[in-house]
Amino acid sequence: MNHRFHRLTQIQRRSSESSNTLIPIFSNLCNLRNLWLKLSSSAPQPSLPLKTSLLAFAFATTPLHAEVRLPKIFGSHMVLQQGKPVQLWGWANAGETTTAQLGETKQSTVANEKGEWKISLPAMKAGGPHVLKVVGSTEILLEDVMIGEVWLCSGQSNMEMGLKKLHIGPQEIAAANHPGLRLMPVKNRWTSRPQDDIEGTWKVCHSQTVSEGGSEGESDGFSATAYYFGREIHQALGVTVGLIEPDWGGTKIESWTPPEGFAAVPALKEESDKVQLANPKSETYQQRLQQAVTQLDQWHQTARTALQSGEPTPPAPNLPDELRGPQELQQATALYNGMIHPLAPFAIRGAIWYQGESNMGDGMRYADRMKALVSGWRKVWGQGDFPFYFVQIAPYNYPNHPPETAPEIWEAQSAAARDIPNSGMAVVNDVGDLNDIHPQDKITVGKRLAFLALAKTYGKQDLVYSGPVFKSLKAEQNQLRVEFDHAHGGLVTRDGKAPDWFEIIDAEEGGFVKAEARISGDSIVLSAPEVKHPVAMRYAWSHIATPNLMNGKGLPAGAFRSSVESQQNWISHQVPESKDYSLVYDLDLTRLGTSIHYDTDKHKEIGKPFDRIAYTLELQDKNLRTRHLFVSMDAFTDDLAKIGVPTIASGATFQQNVSNLNVFSNVKDILNGKALGSGNIEFWPNNYSQANSANIPGATAERYDGGDQPIEGPDGYGSMQVHHQGSGQTLFAINHWRDGINADVGIGNQSTGEPDWTFAKNASSYRAMRLKVLVRVRR
């Protein structure tokens, strides 16, 4: 290769440095009390006294003259995204004019008071090589700049796994001479505050550079998954492809997620609030820092008094930990700050992602975390909904997790692929290694990611990119029929045997049992001799499942589970009265926590008087059996804000009788019917005792039931219960919602323990929980 392609020339035009650089330091020290609005730490630090932190900040903000500079994401041999404006940014002296020229296009701008500048050049077509020239007080020449396709390749160790770790690594590396493939490994770094630069260098792909790759510059080589993905895209499109590789083994998705992502997902509000408290631009940060500064002022007064009196001086207050940002690798935003934030808004076509093993145990919450990651990245890049393709983690015999833990992550990944716009998932359960969490076959992984990109992003219409995807489930007497989309060429098995890893369950008794499965067109028909009334099924529901079902193009089906439609919509089929009601609140109880965030909240929209209130509760256990309850009653309040979960904020506290109960449920022992007489509700956010001060018929002061007594005081345990007095039944209970997965949730009397489910701590035993609150509007 021509030696000039390795040359980066900087022609220095240095201006003389000021001899007065100490003046701003002393000026800052004299104004410490005014620094709280600006205080932030750019790297992880031990807890320091607030005074020391302020001193460090004063020195760190001292302005110095500097040559014009670009972040390291720009360099010789880089690839700029075709068809998108070229966003350039960097640093120079404040007020200095900086000019950028790429090809025949030239633009100039003036650096702001912080020495920052930005230039946007028009979009260009694929081609090159070009020279990028940036001129200010110094001159930068970047050579061998190509215009093509740029992809961000991120995740944990399976993305990080380099070519040299593969058994076929030596021959693959020897053949890796692809000048149309450019590699940008990003050095591992986590920080407490967003950084403005990374460590990394663009390289032309050949045997030496793929060996040198890896996020730490270690000997494992460049990401094998990213390499095979990029090679496939390059060979298919015939344009230069740039691969940016920020990844780190063993890391959680939260660490890669920006604040904007947490803020975009209501289910992650508690995490978002913590992140915002560490954001110097947020109101909560500034309020908390003002409190800290006030404490420091008070300490100064105390210290002066102690100095004059000769008394001991108390320790100076520390900067509160919650203001310092992440203090270790796995905390929210840590890797985003150090490895992702410095890359935006470098134009990209899209991103590929291989991660999830470190979030084992998150279950469906992982889908929320993926939504936060993707929405956050898209917001900080400002390129709209760019493509995001990811790998469903492979089967592996996890030693410290139950067999269903991995399937729950697979289910969450499938939900993310379904719900996140312009996304897709590569299923790899046929190329895993049950004894190695890092499977060797990264060629298949890279190719399947490329299939997604080529078909969905680049419009290759004749390319099959997905294996069979669950479409519907129907009951046919003592059988279940599972229908699939994407059965291209028909359903087949890769070993020619009957489809395996299917299980079904009876409506009433027993657990899941192995199903006999046969292919019928684009469907699978399931049955088992011991299951007379099947209501649900699951597929590949174990971390060691390596199922054989695929489509005619050889792409596998991923794990899933489902119940029949009658299980899912029982209330609409069995309770005609429900059609007369309007939805006010809809709440996913799997997302309970210190704050209640309704999926639907229409209490300000209805605006009409109502005469009845109804509650529906659906609880699906881990075996996909669903318990349903519908209960309606005469309205006990005219304030819609007080008929939902009785939080402190709602102002709802009710310990009273309700009349004309209508009850419908599929739970045994629940008395069903209309006009069942009176009941009572126990709605409050407080702690409570067994004392039956309201003299509820059938209740006792010896246990927690329908006759409990709220205790005045601050936000406490909390109770949301409806009882039927005639049968002595707790119709439903939702208690201690602040404790999330340890909340108490149930329909009917609890068979052991307290009848009203107090102290049950059973919310985590359900796969799905949903509460709906409805009203019947007067006509």
Side-chain angles (χ1 to χ4, degrees), residues 151-152 154-155 159 225 229 253 350-356 366-367 370-371 373-374 377-378 387-393 409-428 445-446 448-450 452-453 456 465:
W151 286 84
L152 183 70
S154 187
M159 180 63 80
T225 295
F229 167 82
I253 192 172
I352 60 173
W353 174 256
Y354 196 167
Q355 191 275 342
Y366 187 76
M370 284 201 69
K371 292 173 186 177
L373 177 83
V374 178
W377 283 11
R378 286 173 172 173
F388 185 91
Y389 304 125
F390 61 95
V391 183
Q392 188 178 59
I393 60 175
I409 287 287
W410 297 335
E411 183 176 49
Q413 290 178 313
S414 297
R418 180 190 66 231
D419 297 340
I420 298 173
N422 203 14
S423 68
M425 180 178 71
V427 177
V428 295
V445 176
R448 287 180 183 169
L449 287 168
L452 286 163
K456 300 183 70 173
Y465 61 87

Side-chain angles (χ1 to χ4, degrees), residues 592-594 596 645-648 682-689 704 708-721 733-745 750 754 756-763:
L592 290 174
T594 55
I596 296 297
V645 178
T647 61
I648 285 284
E682 297 182 324
F683 285 16
W684 53 69
N686 315 83
N687 292 326
Y688 51 96
S689 69
Y704 290 96
D708 300 332
Q709 174 67 37
I711 300 173
E712 292 186 7
D715 205 357
Y717 199 86
S719 168
M720 184 182 188
Q721 301 175 11
I734 302 169
N735 313 318
H736 204 204
W737 50 84
R738 293 170 56 85
D739 209 17
I741 62 172
N742 290 317
D744 317 327
V745 183
Q750 186 179 204
E754 307 298 338
D756 68 356
W757 300 85
T758 299
F759 306 135
K761 297 185 177 181
N762 66 326

Side-chain angles (χ1 to χ4, degrees), residues 114 127 175 186 204 256 321 341 414 441 479 550 570 606 608 654 769:
K114 297 180 181 179
V186 177
V204 178
W256 295 98
D321 287 342
H341 181 270
S414 297
D441 186 357
Q479 298 179 334
M550 62 183 188
W570 185 90
I606 292 180
K608 296 179 181 179
F654 298 102
M769 303 181 288

Side-chain angles (χ1 to χ4, degrees), residues 555-570:
L555 295 178
F560 66 94
R561 56 183 174 175
S562 184
S563 58
V564 296
E565 193 268 346
S566 61
Q567 281 275 297
Q568 300 172 13
N569 300 299
W570 185 90

Side-chain angles (χ1 to χ4, degrees), residues 398-602:
Y398 290 92
N400 299 317
H401 293 283
E404 66 273 11
T405 305
E408 289 170 353
I409 287 287
W410 297 335
E411 183 176 49
Q413 290 178 313
S414 297
R418 180 190 66 231
D419 297 340
I420 298 173
N422 203 14
S423 68
M425 180 178 71
V427 177
V428 295
N429 57 19
D430 57 334
V431 293
D433 185 337
L434 298 183
N435 299 311
D436 191 345
I437 201 170
H438 304 116
Q440 284 284 311
D441 186 357
K442 293 297 190 281
I443 296 178
T444 299
V445 176
K447 282 188 174 182
R448 287 180 183 169
L449 287 168
F451 291 165
L452 286 163
L454 291 170
K456 300 183 70 173
T457 299
Y458 298 111
K460 302 292 184 180
Q461 297 181 359
D462 58 342
L463 184 62
V464 175
Y465 61 87
S466 173
V469 175
F470 171 74
K471 179 181 180 181
S472 65
L473 179 66
K474 299 178 181 178
E476 298 178 348
Q477 296 181 345
N478 64 340
Q479 298 179 334
L480 294 178
R481 179 177 293 272
V482 187
E483 296 183 331
F484 291 88
D485 285 326
H486 297 282
H488 303 284
L491 298 177
V492 297
T493 60
R494 68 172 182 273
D495 56 7
K497 299 179 181 180
D500 56 14
W501 285 101
F502 280 96
E503 299 171 283
I504 61 175
I505 195 170
D506 192 82
E508 298 295 335
E509 298 179 353
F512 277 98
V513 299
K514 182 180 178 180
E516 297 175 1
R518 61 179 177 86
I519 296 173
S520 174
D522 292 346
S523 302
I524 299 290
V525 178
L526 306 175
S527 63
E530 61 266 56
V531 178
K532 305 304 181 184
H533 302 287
V535 292
M537 56 75 58
R538 62 188 188 185
Y539 172 68
W541 212 255
S542 170
H543 59 206
I544 61 170
T546 55
N548 62 1
L549 183 65
M550 62 183 188
N551 61 22
K553 298 299 182 180
L555 295 178
F560 66 94
R561 56 183 174 175
S562 184
S563 58
V564 296
E565 193 268 346
S566 61
Q567 281 275 297
Q568 300 172 13
N569 300 299
W570 185 90
I571 290 175
S572 62
H573 290 304
Q574 301 296 325
V575 188
E577 176 188 352
S578 64
K579 299 176 183 178
D580 298 330
Y581 286 73
S582 300
L583 180 67
V584 183
Y585 299 109
D586 185 356
L587 177 62
D588 182 352
L589 297 177
T590 64
R591 296 171 176 172
L592 290 174
T594 55
S595 300
I596 296 297
H597 307 286
Y598 293 103
D599 298 85
T600 301
D601 181 350
K602 296 184 177 181

Side-chain angles (χ1 to χ4, degrees), residues 356-366 401-402 405-406 408-409 741:
E357 297 89 348
S358 289
N359 285 87
M360 199 64 59
D362 278 7
M364 285 301 292
R365 180 54 62 97
Y366 187 76
H401 293 283
T405 305
E408 289 170 353
I409 287 287
I741 62 172

